[in-house]
Amino acid sequence: MSQQDAVAALSERLLIAAYKGQVENVVQLINKGAKVAVTKHGRTPLHLAANKGHLSVVQILLKAGCDLDVQDDGDQTALHRATVVGNTEVIAALIQEGCALDRQDKDGNTALHEASWHGFSQSAKLLVKAGANVLAKNKAGNTALHLACQNSHAQSTRVLLLGGSRADLKNNAGDTCLHVAARYNHLSIIKLLLSAFCSVHEKNQAGDTALHIAAALNHKKVVKILLEAGADGTIVNNAGRTPLETARYHNNPEVALLLTKAPQVLRFSRGRSLRKKRERLKEERRAQSVPRDDVAQSKGSVSAGDTHSSEQAVPRKEESREDFLSASPEPRAKDNRQKKSRPKASAFSDPTPPADQQPGQQKSSHTHSHPKKRPRHHCSPPGAPHEFRAYQLYTLYRGKDGKVMQAPINGCRCEPLINKLENQLEATVEEIKAELVSVQDKMNTKLGHMENKTQHQVS
């Protein structure tokens, strides 16, 4: 046997020893002069040892000077082969020796693509920390984040997002990661992407948003999540269809019903923050306005100030003027007439006169000589139609029973109710349509059975 044949035999034995993880045999074969051979797929002993997770063999081969970045017939390096199976120790050893991180195989996939596709989050974390390009695209235009979202690997998705990957990058079909997650009905991935402020309005090359895709594939929960995130249901794709029309076109009545109720979903599913903000605004508006009870009390205090009392400590100019006018009964009567006419002139005053200005009680207000005053009966004002306290500023309207009611003047309270009723009406129409379609299908099925039975009896 020639020396060349002997070296070839040693090299073949080195391949087998590296594949089986036989450390002592690898050392002996290298000392005997075995050279790096390749398999029929172009893989070296380092490829085989890295794929099988034989760390000791990998370290020996690296010390022996084995090339780190040799590519096999599929253009994969040893790092690719280690990442496919998630051997983190081997990956760390190869990174420490300085292997190329972003070398692409024949499909354009890097080692990070492989780790993300298979869901090896620890391997992905090692590669991201070592400086692997998280924005690299394969030949289909997919980033590593696209592949992690497609296979619903939540932890790998989180690692890539924290590593700087962008969820709005598009592949060759124009799909973002949200399109991919919506197509494969991965709710956890969609929530992760939305928490990373992924856009819900991006279109692919067909003009479809993620909401179009979920509506076409009858993914009801995905549609609900996207609507709650603010997805626009009026966007039209290249076929001229909105998400609602897409759901009807693909015969998805439940999704169509949900999209019909989209205004209600957007209004009532925004979460606790908007409700708190709305309540805070109500509190501020309530604090700025003057309650009717305080207004009634202030009016009562003014009328009490009109009657001359010796217990006032610091008289004011206005009170002295009123006391001066109260000396003669005729100016006093004119003053009372002016006070009675004021509520009719102002649109923001109380239409019902307070208790101290009732016609039957005016006589008691003129009597100054009696030491004991009769207790005045203060009738409580009528309750407002809402649950909060009444305001000084209000408007009048007629209720269902024909009585005149009052409500805040800052806006009509009927508009939200009308919008809600319109949405409920549209939803009811959709339910009726869906029920008619199901009944028609059942009737067609029964008629078909009857026709087949009749033909069988005739024959």
Side-chain angles (χ1 to χ4, degrees):
M1 181 183 292
S2 63
Q3 185 177 0
Q4 186 175 2
D5 293 337
V7 172
L10 291 175
S11 301
E12 290 291 337
R13 291 172 58 188
L14 180 61
L15 285 171
I16 296 172
Y19 180 80
K20 293 182 178 181
Q22 299 171 350
V23 180
E24 296 179 358
N25 291 342
V26 170
V27 173
Q28 292 177 1
L29 292 170
I30 291 175
N31 293 334
K32 289 180 181 179
K35 294 183 179 180
V36 175
V38 294
T39 63
K40 61 180 180 180
H41 298 294
R43 291 170 183 164
T44 64
L46 186 60
H47 283 91
L48 302 177
N51 183 254
K52 291 297 179 181
H54 302 315
L55 179 60
S56 301
V57 175
V58 170
Q59 292 173 344
I60 292 170
L61 292 172
L62 292 176
K63 289 180 181 178
C66 187
D67 191 356
L68 285 170
D69 300 323
V70 175
Q71 293 176 299
D72 59 9
D73 293 346
D75 293 338
Q76 289 190 335
T77 63
L79 184 62
H80 282 91
R81 301 303 301 165
T83 310
V84 166
V85 291
N87 290 325
T88 55
E89 294 179 349
V90 176
I91 292 171
L94 293 172
I95 291 173
Q96 189 175 0
E97 290 295 324
C99 66
L101 298 175
D102 298 325
R103 191 67 61 87
Q104 293 179 314
D105 60 9
K106 64 179 182 179
D107 295 323
N109 293 317
T110 63
L112 187 59
H113 281 89
E114 295 290 349
S116 302
W117 174 262
H118 294 284
F120 298 125
S121 59
Q122 293 300 322
S123 301
K125 187 182 293 185
L126 284 174
L127 293 168
V128 170
K129 285 185 177 180
N133 184 12
V134 295
L135 304 179
K137 294 184 177 182
N138 58 14
K139 291 185 177 179
N142 291 316
T143 63
L145 187 59
H146 279 90
L147 302 183
C149 293
Q150 180 175 343
N151 289 344
S152 188
H153 298 311
Q155 190 61 32
S156 298
T157 301
R158 191 176 289 107
V159 168
L160 292 170
L161 289 172
L162 293 174
S165 185
R166 286 156 43 191
D168 292 334
L169 289 179
K170 297 182 179 181
N171 58 14
N172 295 344
D175 287 339
T176 64
C177 296
L178 190 61
H179 285 88
V180 174
R183 179 173 289 109
Y184 290 94
N185 198 20
H186 298 322
L187 299 177
S188 59
I189 301 298
I190 292 174
K191 292 178 181 178
L192 273 176
L193 295 174
L194 293 176
S195 66
F197 304 103
C198 177
S199 174
V200 295
H201 305 303
E202 293 292 332
K203 292 184 177 182
N204 58 13
Q205 290 185 353
D208 292 328
T209 62
L211 189 60
H212 281 90
I213 294 174
L217 297 175
N218 199 25
H219 295 160
K220 186 177 178 181
K221 293 183 179 179
V222 175
V223 170
K224 186 176 181 181
I225 291 175
L226 292 175
L227 288 175
E228 291 176 357
D232 190 0
T234 61
I235 297 178
V236 180
N237 60 10
N238 296 347
R241 300 190 186 97
T242 62
L244 176 59
E245 294 170 347
T246 303
R248 289 172 177 169
Y249 178 78
H250 290 87
N251 195 21
N252 299 326
E254 293 183 356
V255 175
L257 180 61
L258 186 60
L259 289 168
T260 306
K261 295 180 179 179
Q264 296 181 19
V265 175
L266 291 175
R267 185 178 298 115
F268 300 112
S269 300
R270 288 299 182 128
R272 193 174 299 172
S273 59
L274 287 182
R275 286 190 224 110
K276 286 185 176 180
K277 183 178 179 181
R278 196 180 301 116
E279 292 175 359
R280 187 172 65 252
L281 290 175
K282 287 181 179 179
E283 291 291 338
E284 292 176 358
R285 188 166 61 247
R286 200 181 310 147
Q288 291 175 0
S289 61
V290 181
R292 286 176 52 83
D293 297 339
D294 298 341
V295 174
Q297 292 177 4
S298 64
K299 288 182 179 180
S301 62
V302 170
S303 62
D306 290 341
T307 60
H308 185 72
S309 175
S310 61
E311 296 178 357
Q312 293 179 348
V314 183
R316 298 180 183 179
K317 292 182 179 180
E318 295 179 358
E319 293 176 352
S320 62
R321 183 175 177 272
E322 290 177 357
D323 292 338
F324 175 76
L325 292 174
S326 63
S328 59
E330 293 180 357
R332 183 68 177 180
K334 186 184 294 183
D335 191 11
N336 289 335
R337 284 196 300 270
Q338 289 179 358
K339 286 183 180 180
K340 289 174 66 177
S341 62
R342 280 176 189 172
K344 298 179 182 178
S346 177
F348 303 112
S349 59
D350 193 356
T352 59
D356 56 348
Q357 295 182 4
Q358 296 292 335
Q361 297 178 359
Q362 288 181 357
K363 295 181 180 179
S364 62
S365 63
H366 290 290
T367 58
H368 304 281
S369 59
H370 296 287
K372 295 183 179 180
K373 297 182 180 180
R374 295 175 62 185
R376 296 176 181 178
H377 177 68
H378 293 278
C379 59
S380 61
H386 45 80
E387 297 178 356
F388 304 101
R389 296 177 64 185
Y391 298 90
Q392 180 184 4
L393 304 180
Y394 66 93
T395 183
L396 299 178
Y397 69 95
R398 192 173 297 277
K400 294 181 179 180
D401 53 356
K403 295 182 179 179
V404 176
M405 308 292 287
Q406 59 186 11
I409 202 169
N410 55 357
C412 178
R413 308 182 73 88
C414 305
E415 185 176 356
L417 179 60
I418 293 173
N419 294 334
K420 183 178 179 181
L421 291 174
E422 288 178 353
N423 295 329
Q424 290 178 353
L425 183 60
E426 292 180 1
T428 305
V429 170
E430 290 295 329
E431 291 177 355
I432 293 173
K433 288 182 180 179
E435 187 67 23
L436 288 175
V437 170
S438 62
V439 171
Q440 187 177 2
D441 291 340
K442 291 179 180 178
M443 290 294 296
N444 292 335
T445 304
K446 290 183 178 179
L447 289 174
H449 289 316
M450 291 175 64
E451 186 177 358
N452 293 333
K453 186 176 180 180
T454 304
Q455 290 179 356
H456 179 70
Q457 289 176 355
V458 170
S459 61

